[in-house]
């Protein structure tokens, strides 16, 4: 159990019946939820109405809140320096209203769908007892991480660099659980459903219901997880149960997981179609309108890296050497090389690069950087994946929703 | 109805009102609402710029999503209109009627896209001495 997250779900229904609602009628909407009345009063009248801070208790105060209804919270690069992302530093990307009361002892997961041989229901305890446990460090990154740099601007939460993390997840293989229900030969995709509700409060609408092709679902590293870093998953990150698909848009890793459907076609849940988590199948001119049928679903994320030490803005004395370090990851692939530049990409120096803790975990890198004299410098970080593809130095191909910005990370340094 | 009347009708205790900067914006004649927590022209509770059209945006947009979602986005008037149509089609936003033009005026003025190149200079750097 954890404190009630904000509840926008009942406000609209409540307000319709409320005598107070008439005060807002001349403005066409309602004033009660609008902030025209000071926050403390709203909090008293509608507990949690404006993004109840209790629901992100346990998160590091250094995280940046992009949106509080629903919570969208990112982690500054220098707070991602740990090899294994701690619970207080893993970003939050919510689409709807998380479940208010979670009781792991009564939580169930249903496996169904037209390509399941039989529908099966597991309690959380049955999942833990019936299947082999696996613990893996897996990189999850929001498809929209880096959106803030696109121009013309793309609508949505304006993520900079912090919608990524690599925590250690414990659970069972999705494959083992799907196989226990039986997978028909015509299966092509899985889709998930979670217990978060649509922001409008409409119980008939799902906030998000995405999935992955069978090939990804059946990988050794695809988990149904109940623990993160050896503890319960934080409430806003999906407690008590979620999917984790390392290397793919984090929106595929459904939170508050209650049902998985095995589909005989590409899953058609909320935010699978239209323009959501899709990019133009062919590159387009910036600012173009792209028809839905010309948009393709994002699968493996592109190669990317972060400088997690030092924090941007470091001032050094002339001659003082600088150790820089960070992480690099490459979707389904491995990172094969890492370089930094202190001259705006004109020259690149190789870094020391570690292997991943396991497949689909990010890789640690470090380097000693020298400066030729006083002045303003930027350290740029550039990863290369196992197929020889590198990060772009400028913002990559524009796309309507602003996904997949893997431009090299930059920090500012001054030598005085 | 003016929101000042709403606040009066609710008999708010003074300590809930927070800092306020009531008065008139001399450049536009916009009457800044009293009794709200406004700092540097931003309404702290919603995160929105307090400017002509603020009340109608607050009343129609912020009941369903955070004002912070508005404030972090940039679009042209057409872009904002498309977003309203999308919310009406898929997110149960109501018909905004005559208020739509006021809302678009406010959004297009206060949250317009900035001109920029393929990669902007690093900004908001907090310099510190690294030992």
């Amino acid at each position: 159990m954890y404190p009630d997250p904000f509840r926008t779900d009942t406000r609209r229904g409540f307000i319709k019946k409320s005598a107070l609602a008439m005060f807002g009628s001349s403005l066409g909407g309602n004033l009660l939820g609008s902030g025209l009345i000071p926050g403390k009063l709203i909090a008293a009248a509608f507990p949690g109405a404006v993004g109840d801070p209790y629901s992100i208790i346990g998160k590091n105060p250094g995280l940046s809140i992009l949106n509080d209804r629903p919570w969208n919270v990112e982690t500054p690069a220098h707070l991602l320096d740990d090899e294994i992302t701690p619970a207080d530093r893993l970003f939050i990307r919510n689409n709807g209203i998380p479940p208010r009361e979670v009781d792991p002892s009564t939580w169930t997961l249903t496996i169904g769908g037209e390509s399941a041989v039989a529908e099966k229901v597991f309690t959380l305890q049955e999942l833990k007892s019936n299947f082999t446990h696996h613990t893996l460090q897996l990189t999850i990154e929001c498809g929209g991480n880096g959106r803030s740099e696109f121009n013309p601007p793309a609508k949505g939460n304006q993520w900079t660099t912090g919608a990524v993390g690599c925590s250690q997840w414990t659970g069972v293989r999705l494959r083992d659980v799907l196989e226990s229900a039986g997978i028909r030969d015509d299966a092509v995709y899985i889709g998930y459903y979670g217990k978060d509700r649509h922001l409008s409060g409409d119980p008939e609408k799902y906030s998000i219901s995405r999935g992955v092709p069978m090939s990804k679902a059946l990988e050794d590293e695809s988990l149904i997880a109940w623990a993160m870093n050896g503890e319960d998953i934080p409430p806003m990150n999906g407690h008590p149960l979620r999917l984790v698909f390392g290397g793919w848009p984090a929106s595929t890793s459904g939170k508050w997981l209650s049902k998985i459907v095995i589909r005989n076609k590409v899953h058609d849940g909320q935010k699978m179609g239209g323009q959501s988590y899709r990019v133009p199948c062919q590159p387009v001119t910036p600012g173009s309108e792209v028809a839905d049928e010309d948009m393709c679903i994002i699968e493996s994320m592109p190669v990317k890296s972060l400088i997690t030490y030092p924090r941007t803005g470091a001032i050094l004395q002339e001659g003082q050497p600088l150790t820089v370090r960070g992480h690099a990851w490459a979707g389904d692939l491995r990172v094969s090389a890492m370089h930094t530049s202190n001259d705006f990409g004109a020259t690149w120096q190789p870094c020391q690069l570690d292997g991943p803790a396991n497949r689909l975990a990010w890789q640690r890198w470090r380097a000693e950087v020298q400066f030729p004299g006083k002045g303003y410098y930027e350290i740029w970080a550039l990863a290369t994946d196992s197929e020889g593809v590198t990060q772009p130095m400028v913002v990559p191909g524009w796309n309507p929703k602003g996904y997949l910005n893997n431009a090299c990370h930059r920090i500012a340094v001054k030598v005085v | 109805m003016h929101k000042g009347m709403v606040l009066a009708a609710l008999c708010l205790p003074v300590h809930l009102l927070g800092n306020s900067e009531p008065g008139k914006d001399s450049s536009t004649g916009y009457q800044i609402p009293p009794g709200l927590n406004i700092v540097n022209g931003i309404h702290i509770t919603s995160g929105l710029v307090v400017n002509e059209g603020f009340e109608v945006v607050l009343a129609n947009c912020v009941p369903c999503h955070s004002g912070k979602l508005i404030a972090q986005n940039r679009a042209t008037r057409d872009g904002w209109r498309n977003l309203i149509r999308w919310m009406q089609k898929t997110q149960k936003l109501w018909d905004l009627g005559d208020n739509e033009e006021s809302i678009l005026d406010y959004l297009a003025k206060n949250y317009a896209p900035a001109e920029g190149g393929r990669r902007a200079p690093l900004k908001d750097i907090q310099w510190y001495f690294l030992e």
Side-chain angles (χ1 to χ4, degrees):
Chain A
M1 299 285 206
Y2 57 89
D4 285 4
F6 52 94
R7 38 181 315 188
T8 53
D9 50 331
T10 57
R11 277 186 300 132
R12 198 171 290 167
F14 176 83
I15 285 161
K16 276 180 190 159
K17 297 174 195 137
S18 165
L20 291 172
M22 65 185 177
F23 289 116
S25 58
S26 66
L27 289 172
N30 76 69
L31 290 170
L32 281 175
S34 69
L36 271 175
I37 297 165
K40 283 177 187 167
L41 185 64
I42 289 185
F46 305 101
V50 191
D52 185 346
Y54 286 112
S55 55
I56 57 166
I57 271 182
K59 288 294 177 184
N60 188 293
L63 270 51
S64 310
I65 295 171
L66 302 180
N67 192 346
D68 54 15
R69 194 152 41 96
W71 285 111
N72 281 263
V73 179
E74 72 169 321
T75 315
H78 69 278
L79 293 181
L80 284 171
D81 196 40
D82 297 88
E83 255 171 71
I84 297 174
T85 307
D88 71 319
R89 292 164 188 223
L90 184 64
F91 73 99
I92 303 170
R93 193 290 181 251
N94 286 351
N95 286 266
I97 308 161
R100 267 183 288 128
E101 290 181 1
V102 171
D103 182 356
S105 69
T106 58
W107 195 271
T108 60
L109 173 66
T110 302
I111 308 295
E114 64 274 6
S115 291
V117 173
E119 182 162 297
K120 270 203 166 182
V121 181
F122 299 94
T123 63
L124 193 48
Q125 191 51 50
E126 285 169 335
L127 284 176
K128 291 179 180 179
S129 315
N130 297 1
F131 301 98
T132 307
H133 295 195
H134 297 272
T135 295
L136 293 168
Q137 212 188 315
L138 297 167
T139 307
I140 53 174
E141 180 180 14
C142 174
N145 198 21
R147 174 176 294 139
S148 60
E149 284 198 282
F150 282 104
N151 195 11
K155 75 180 167 82
N157 290 292
Q158 298 296 304
W159 303 101
T160 64
T161 59
V164 63
C166 189
S167 302
Q168 196 179 61
W169 300 93
T170 299
V172 295
R173 276 192 182 131
L174 173 59
R175 182 178 68 215
D176 293 347
V177 179
L178 295 180
E179 284 176 348
S180 83
I183 305 168
R184 290 191 195 279
D185 290 343
D186 64 352
V188 297
Y189 227 89
I190 65 104
Y192 68 74
Y193 293 92
K195 287 290 188 189
D196 49 333
R197 284 161 300 150
H198 192 265
L199 212 53
S200 68
D202 183 344
E204 302 299 311
K205 286 173 94 83
Y206 286 98
S207 59
I208 188 163
S209 170
R210 303 198 67 243
V212 296
M214 292 310 295
S215 56
K216 181 69 176 172
L218 299 179
E219 282 186 351
D220 287 352
E221 297 82 7
S222 296
L223 297 183
I224 299 171
W226 56 75
M228 192 181 110
N229 301 345
E231 298 186 341
D232 282 351
I233 298 168
M236 293 297 109
N237 297 116
H239 176 70
L241 197 66
R242 70 173 294 171
L243 285 164
V244 188
F245 295 110
W248 282 44
S251 57
T252 60
S253 296
K255 301 192 281 187
W256 309 289
L257 180 68
S258 63
K259 186 171 189 179
I260 296 172
V261 285
I262 309 175
R263 306 298 311 269
N264 64 9
K265 59 178 182 179
V266 174
H267 182 54
D268 51 3
Q270 187 71 17
K271 301 203 175 181
M272 281 301 297
Q275 309 251 316
S276 296
Y277 299 102
R278 288 174 181 243
V279 291
C281 302
Q282 299 172 357
V284 299
T285 313
S288 302
E289 279 199 34
V290 184
D292 287 355
E293 60 265 30
D294 296 327
M295 299 284 277
C296 287
I297 299 172
I298 300 167
E299 299 195 331
S300 175
M301 295 288 285
V303 61
K304 198 164 174 179
S305 58
L306 272 182
I307 302 164
T308 57
Y309 180 88
R311 174 165 66 78
T312 188
I315 301 171
L316 305 173
Q317 303 301 321
E318 196 171 5
Q320 182 183 349
L322 177 64
T323 301
V324 296
R325 62 174 179 263
H327 312 286
W329 60 97
D332 279 341
L333 303 176
R334 199 182 151 107
V335 177
S336 61
M338 186 70 214
H339 291 82
T340 58
S341 174
N342 65 357
D343 55 11
F344 309 94
T347 62
W348 294 91
Q349 289 73 46
C351 305
Q352 189 190 346
L353 175 69
D354 296 343
N358 50 255
R359 182 172 176 262
L360 309 182
W362 64 19
Q363 295 167 239
R364 203 83 173 108
W365 61 266
R366 64 197 68 76
E368 285 275 317
V369 178
Q370 310 281 343
F371 298 92
K374 294 179 180 176
Y376 171 86
Y377 296 90
E378 292 177 6
I379 308 292
W380 293 9
L382 188 78
T384 304
D385 74 21
S386 48
E387 294 184 348
V389 176
T390 67
Q391 297 179 248
M393 286 182 254
V394 296
V395 177
W398 185 92
N399 62 89
K401 297 273 282 183
Y403 295 119
L404 305 183
N405 176 9
N406 66 331
C408 63
H409 184 217
R410 308 173 294 168
I411 64 164
V413 174
K414 241 182 222 179
V415 179
V416 296
Chain B
M1 179 187 293
H2 192 277
K3 104 189 77 25
M5 294 168 65
V6 175
L7 293 171
L10 289 170
C11 302
L12 289 178
V14 171
H15 72 274
L16 287 180
L17 296 176
N19 307 324
S20 64
E21 300 169 0
K24 208 170 247 187
D25 182 328
S26 54
S27 60
T28 62
Y30 172 65
Q31 181 68 42
I32 297 168
L36 294 176
N37 190 355
I38 298 168
V39 177
N40 296 327
I42 304 291
H43 175 225
I44 295 304
T45 309
S46 66
L48 292 170
V49 174
V50 182
N51 213 328
E52 189 73 44
F54 164 75
E55 292 96 325
V56 76
V57 167
L58 213 48
N60 286 281
C61 308
V62 179
C64 295
H65 59 72
S66 173
K68 293 181 174 67
L69 186 61
I70 299 171
Q72 64 175 311
N73 274 275
R74 298 291 180 270
T76 61
R77 189 183 182 87
D78 282 348
W80 286 115
R81 186 184 286 107
N82 289 341
L83 194 49
I84 287 171
R85 294 290 171 268
W86 174 79
M87 286 187 282
Q88 286 169 332
K89 198 170 149 192
T90 67
Q91 306 294 308
K92 311 192 104 192
L93 173 61
W94 44 80
D95 181 349
L96 296 168
D98 294 341
N99 287 324
E100 183 167 303
E101 286 307 302
S102 313
I103 291 170
L104 286 172
D105 287 345
Y106 171 88
L107 295 172
K109 179 182 171 196
N110 296 298
Y111 300 106
E115 294 300 320
R118 190 70 179 252
R119 207 140 195 217
L122 294 175
K123 59 179 183 182
D124 303 331
I125 301 163
Q126 292 177 300
W127 294 103
Y128 65 100
F129 286 98
L130 183 69
E131 296 302 320

